[in-house]
Amino acid sequence: MTEAVTATATGEIQARTPNHPGTMPGLVLTARQLTKRFGGLAAVNQVNLDLWQGRIHGVIGPNGAGKSTLTNLLSGDLPPTEGTVTLAGQDITGWNPERISRQRLGRSYQKTNIFPAFTVWENIRLAAQSRNQPFAFNPLAWLTRAATHAVVNERAEKALELALLGSRRNTIAGAASHGEQRQLEIAMTLATEPQVLLLDEPLAGMGTMEAERMVQLLLGLKADHAMMLVEHDMDAVFAVADHLTVMVNGQVIASDTPAAVRADVTVQAAYLGEAH
Ligand code: ADP
Ligand code: MG
């Protein structure tokens, strides 16, 4: 079964090349046989996954399927029990989240994670600045501070626009709507200029209008990123995903184009039938 689930976004079966996956142009992140056990529970069980530049890879499945755990394994928030993760051709298995983040992997969490007392702009600016922290102890850094500020401001400005928050620049984050706070969280991730984006239920708790805006935002990011989108909103995920992985009980039960997944009777029985 694990052989079958290495199908790529283009539908072909990926050659098993765990040591050199980055040699394939556009293949940004890979997981191979990725497994996380919590005691006797395999929350993520032998999962294979490929994220490609310019594609949105949806991950769906019922509550407890292991979607957030998978996200945590890819971002380094949790170490895997077994398996490997590569990013841009480099084996990053077991790296801590900060180190992985510096290799241009950005993620959002299922819960909103912002500084509520600061403005939208200040939140994004702080996130943009945080990327420069590895250089904070460079004695020459203060000499180039003005230049650094310009670069950081530019990065924050770009993130503000990409997250469709240009008109909310001076809004106090805590007073922004739920949807805007989720946009802000994505903006803060974008401010670090990630190549890979892992988004865990960015549409959670949103009304129709907010969800539509988030879909528009995600589509706007697609060309320049490799994205994994964990999502419960089936309409949204089928609207934006180029490839879908379905997880149940830690295992991948299908990994294919959205149309093929929708037509898959196993998936319908295990999940989609219940969701509608
Ligand atoms: P999903 O995001 O698909 O709803 P999760 O990845 O959050 O699923 O959880 C998958 C399974 O792993 C669940 O049964 C959950 O209770 C369990 N789990 C998640 N995190 C932990 C943890 N830190 N310790 C023990 N069990 C966990
Ligand atoms: Mg979850």
Side-chain angles (χ1 to χ4, degrees):
M1 197 203 79
T2 51
E3 291 295 327
V5 298
T6 31
T8 68
T10 49
E12 71 231 9
I13 300 295
Q14 191 66 43
R16 206 54 79 76
T17 54
N19 296 323
H20 307 283
T23 53
M24 299 241 347
L27 181 56
V28 182
L29 182 141
T30 72
R32 290 292 176 271
Q33 277 83 50
L34 203 58
T35 299
K36 182 66 183 181
R37 289 195 196 92
F38 295 115
L41 173 79
V44 170
N45 198 353
Q46 301 281 315
V47 168
N48 296 318
L49 188 92
D50 294 331
L51 300 186
W52 295 80
Q53 168 76 26
R55 292 180 199 271
I56 298 180
H57 190 127
V59 176
I60 61 174
N63 271 331
K67 306 179 300 293
S68 291
T69 304
L70 173 63
T71 311
N72 288 331
L73 293 176
L74 301 179
S75 65
D77 287 275
L78 282 175
T81 314
E82 278 171 32
T84 55
V85 183
T86 69
L87 177 58
Q90 191 168 25
D91 190 334
I92 60 161
T93 315
W95 287 23
N96 67 44
E98 294 73 27
R99 191 172 172 208
I100 293 177
S101 160
R102 286 199 295 274
Q103 295 298 313
R104 301 186 61 201
L105 181 142
R107 70 163 298 182
S108 70
Y109 291 84
Q110 207 168 338
K111 280 190 166 173
T112 307
N113 201 2
I114 57 169
F115 302 105
F118 294 156
T119 67
V120 163
W121 168 254
E122 285 163 348
N123 269 277
I124 301 173
R125 182 68 175 65
L126 280 169
Q129 180 70 46
S130 76
R131 206 192 118 180
N132 283 25
Q133 270 171 6
F135 308 104
F137 300 105
N138 180 342
L140 293 177
W142 68 274
L143 285 174
T144 55
R145 201 157 64 178
T148 306
H149 276 198
V151 169
V152 170
N153 278 335
E154 198 178 308
R155 207 151 62 209
E157 206 61 67
K158 198 174 157 203
L160 181 84
E161 292 303 324
L162 281 172
L164 311 179
L165 285 170
S167 64
R168 291 289 179 270
R169 174 191 292 270
N170 298 318
T171 302
I172 299 294
S177 71
H178 171 71
E180 287 164 353
Q181 290 188 3
R182 299 308 306 242
Q183 287 171 243
L184 175 55
E185 205 194 8
I186 291 178
M188 291 167 72
T189 307
L190 291 172
T192 64
E193 292 191 313
Q195 184 181 15
V196 182
L197 271 175
L198 308 179
L199 304 176
D200 194 357
E201 300 199 21
L203 279 78
M206 285 191 176
T208 314
M209 297 292 281
E210 289 179 318
E212 277 173 14
R213 194 161 175 79
M214 184 59 80
V215 162
Q216 188 192 342
L217 187 166
L218 297 176
L219 288 172
L221 298 179
K222 185 161 120 166
D224 292 329
H225 298 88
M227 291 170 65
M228 183 173 98
L229 173 67
V230 173
E231 193 43 67
H232 262 303
D233 183 327
M234 289 300 128
D235 291 336
V237 84
F238 275 94
V240 303
D242 300 287
H243 191 86
L244 271 183
T245 288
V246 187
M247 288 181 75
V248 175
N249 292 331
Q251 290 187 314
V252 173
I253 63 160
S255 188
D256 214 322
T257 62
V261 165
R262 204 192 277 278
D264 187 321
V265 287
T266 318
V267 175
Q268 283 171 7
Y271 180 52
L272 285 179
E274 294 168 25
H276 285 285

